[in-house]
Amino acid sequence: MSTRSVMFARAQVAPRSPLLFATLFIAACAQSAGASWPFGVFFTQGATLWWLQLLAQSVLVLALLRAPTAGIAAGRAWWFVTVWLSTTFWWLFIALHTYGGLPALLGVIAIVALAAALGLYYAMAAWAFWRWHHVRPMVAALCFAALWTAAELARGTWLTGFGWGAVGYAHLDGPLAWYLPWVGSYGVGLLAAWGAASIALLVLRRGVVSFGLAACVLVFPLLAPPAWNTWTQPSGTLSVTLLQGNIPQDEKFEPGSGVPLALQWYAEQLQQSNTALVVAPETAVPLLPQQLPEGYWSALEQHFVHGKSTAIIGIPLGSYTQGYTNSVLALAPGQKEPWRYDKHHLVPFGEFIPPLFKWFTRMMNIPLGDFNRGPLGQPSLPVAGERVAPNICYEDLYGEELASRFTDAALAPTVFANVSNLGWFNDSIALDQHLNISRARALEFQRPFVRATNTGATAILDYQAVVQQALPRLTRGVLVGEVQGRTGVTPFAWWAARFGLWPLWVVCLLLIAAAWRLGRRTR
């Protein structure tokens, strides 16, 4: 047997299953911590454990390289991803059980089942990687990165997509964040996967070249001058007021408690604001316009039409015959008709019910329905010389959809405004994870973000994703500050506006095809 054959045989020796599963479980939890838990929010900016994500993923690659068959490699990846995702979005249990009334056991099963279903993408990627991993270390590392990223893209886009906790978010405060304006969060995830695979291949096959190149990618941002990655310029300063009503979710739509409280508090704060822009969160007004008390909406319209401030207010719109939308209306000086934005990317089970799942939603007490979608790339709202682009709830998870507003640089937004209601998830990590999602978009587009939420995180982010001001979560409060608008288009904004995520798909498919071809030659 040749020396190379002996090396491959050693790489495929699997350790005892209990020990292996425990190791993968710990690594998956570590990846969840590195990729989804925003330690930089808890401590200081820059304190995220981005390196932990790399090490955790390298443990997975080692386990795949040592698998005796492709099927076992797929099983190991599926186990790893199921644990990783379950510990990433466990807070869905709060919405399902606490507010939805789903029995606790069924709630747990539903979350694990979702994670397991999404894990199938990665299991298929691991199966293919094992089949072709015997190529040269450099090619094998790129092959793993391409297959992993293809699985991430599939998870984040197919069947409406749910890319929450993608590994690119682990690197918001690490060196790889430098590449976000170039390749976006999925591209950063590809670079991270390449680095993790290079670590594993360095250990098993002495893949020095791949490890060295990956290390250079990691070190380069530390040496590059800031001017090399500055694509936007200041466009002006906008004064803003952000409202956080902290209406408990179990009272928010109750006519005897949450509804009158929301109507009174938000109306008072909206009319007391004197900044150029005031933003109230998603469904701040929890009733349809035709259901509001007589004179309520007309009083708001009169105040802003004849005033100096512009208000963005979250409110549901529509009727039984026309259908409903999750929307924001803007009231502006001299504007007779409200400006309108309708949510485009709807939440499965919350705003539309997927086919064949009526039985599941009937088990819960959450008021669900099928909402109408707004169009993609809706125009921005002009406010005091700036162009403000609202997005609702987890729409900021989809950078490629926000990029659709950058086709024409002259009309591109200068400020993003997210309005959300995360009251469904109480005082959980979901609030901080969502803040980090907005931070990623701020870096991709080099645009500031203002966030007005019901329970948190209500905050002002600058174009470098630094939290300038924030309200304590789960408190009722008003945040007043300033935000600097930005003009200019980043490379990611340019290509994603025109091609969506297809360039990343093409890169992944080309790398996979090259690995497949070389893999056939070396067998």
Side-chain angles (χ1 to χ4, degrees), residues 341 344-345 376-378 380 389-407 412-413 416-418 437-438 440-442 444-445 447 449 492-493 496-497:
Y341 171 82
H344 169 75
H345 204 114
L376 189 63
Q378 298 172 61
S380 300
N391 51 86
I392 300 175
C393 192
Y394 85 148
E395 282 191 307
D396 59 349
L397 181 60
Y398 302 92
E400 68 278 9
E401 295 182 359
L402 299 190
S404 65
R405 295 171 170 179
F406 287 79
T407 305
F416 279 111
N418 179 267
I437 288 170
S438 292
R441 302 293 85 80
E444 286 175 349
F445 299 105
R447 290 294 193 275
F449 252 82
F492 171 78

Side-chain angles (χ1 to χ4, degrees), residues 32-385:
S32 179
S36 301
W37 290 62
F39 287 92
V41 174
F42 293 147
F43 301 114
T44 59
Q45 216 79 41
T48 53
L49 303 181
W50 58 268
W51 53 270
L52 183 60
Q53 186 278 317
L54 289 177
L55 292 179
Q57 197 170 28
S58 67
V59 171
L60 170 64
V61 180
L62 285 169
L64 300 183
L65 291 170
R66 290 181 177 274
T69 67
I72 291 176
R76 291 176 180 179
W78 179 81
W79 165 255
F80 177 93
V81 173
T82 299
V83 175
W84 161 46
L85 294 181
S86 295
T87 53
T88 296
F89 48 65
W90 62 267
W91 36 261
L92 289 171
F93 175 84
I94 301 172
L96 295 175
H97 173 63
T98 304
Y99 297 116
L102 195 67
L105 179 59
L106 290 180
V108 172
I109 292 173
I111 292 168
V112 175
L114 173 61
L118 296 174
L120 294 176
Y121 294 126
Y122 302 86
M124 290 187 284
W127 182 90
F129 174 65
W130 189 93
R131 298 277 296 177
W132 307 324
H133 76 274
H134 51 280
V135 295
R136 288 176 296 177
M138 179 67 182
V139 179
L142 290 173
C143 175
F144 173 80
L147 287 164
W148 176 274
T149 304
E152 290 267 81
L153 288 168
R155 173 168 78 95
T157 58
W158 292 359
L159 301 174
T160 78
F162 189 58
W164 200 283
V167 297
Y169 297 112
H171 300 277
L172 289 174
D173 295 300
L176 291 182
W178 193 90
Y179 298 98
L180 280 167
W182 293 82
V183 296
S185 60
Y186 287 115
V188 167
L190 187 148
L191 296 175
W194 177 31
S198 297
I199 294 172
L201 289 160
L202 178 69
V203 173
L204 284 184
R205 301 185 192 169
R206 299 180 182 178
V208 176
V209 175
S210 179
F211 179 80
L213 289 175
C216 289
V217 169
L218 201 65
V219 172
F220 175 76
L222 303 177
L223 306 176
W228 287 11
N229 205 25
T230 301
W231 300 94
T232 61
Q233 306 78 39
S235 60
T237 301
L238 185 68
S239 59
V240 297
T241 298
L242 308 177
L243 307 181
Q244 180 173 290
N246 194 37
I247 310 296
Q249 190 59 42
D250 55 357
E251 299 179 15
K252 185 171 175 61
F253 298 100
E254 291 295 325
S257 54
V259 170
L261 174 60
L263 295 179
Q264 177 186 355
W265 189 81
Y266 280 115
E268 290 176 353
Q269 302 307 319
L270 285 165
Q271 296 189 47
Q272 290 175 10
S273 172
N274 56 12
T275 55
L277 177 66
V278 53
V279 186
E282 178 185 15
T283 59
V285 176
L287 298 176
L288 296 166
Q290 59 268 30
Q291 297 172 325
L292 290 170
E294 184 177 356
Y296 182 89
W297 189 256
S298 60
L300 290 176
E301 285 183 316
Q302 289 299 313
H303 175 80
F304 287 100
V305 167
H306 299 291
K308 297 181 179 180
S309 297
T310 297
I312 293 177
I313 306 169
I315 182 172
L317 298 176
S319 66
Y320 180 79
T321 56
Q322 298 175 346
Y324 302 97
T325 58
N326 188 353
S327 305
V328 297
L329 292 180
L331 305 176
Q335 185 173 295
K336 294 182 179 180
E337 294 295 327
W339 180 94
R340 175 173 175 173
Y341 171 82
D342 296 328
K343 187 177 183 182
H344 169 75
H345 204 114
L346 303 178
V347 179
F349 301 104
E351 292 165 327
F352 78 95
I353 303 171
L356 306 179
F357 279 92
K358 296 282 187 181
W359 63 271
F360 181 74
T361 58
R362 280 196 290 265
M363 300 175 65
M364 296 184 289
N365 297 323
I366 298 175
L368 303 172
D370 286 326
F371 281 61
N372 296 329
R373 297 178 186 274
L376 189 63
Q378 298 172 61
S380 300
L381 170 69
V383 182

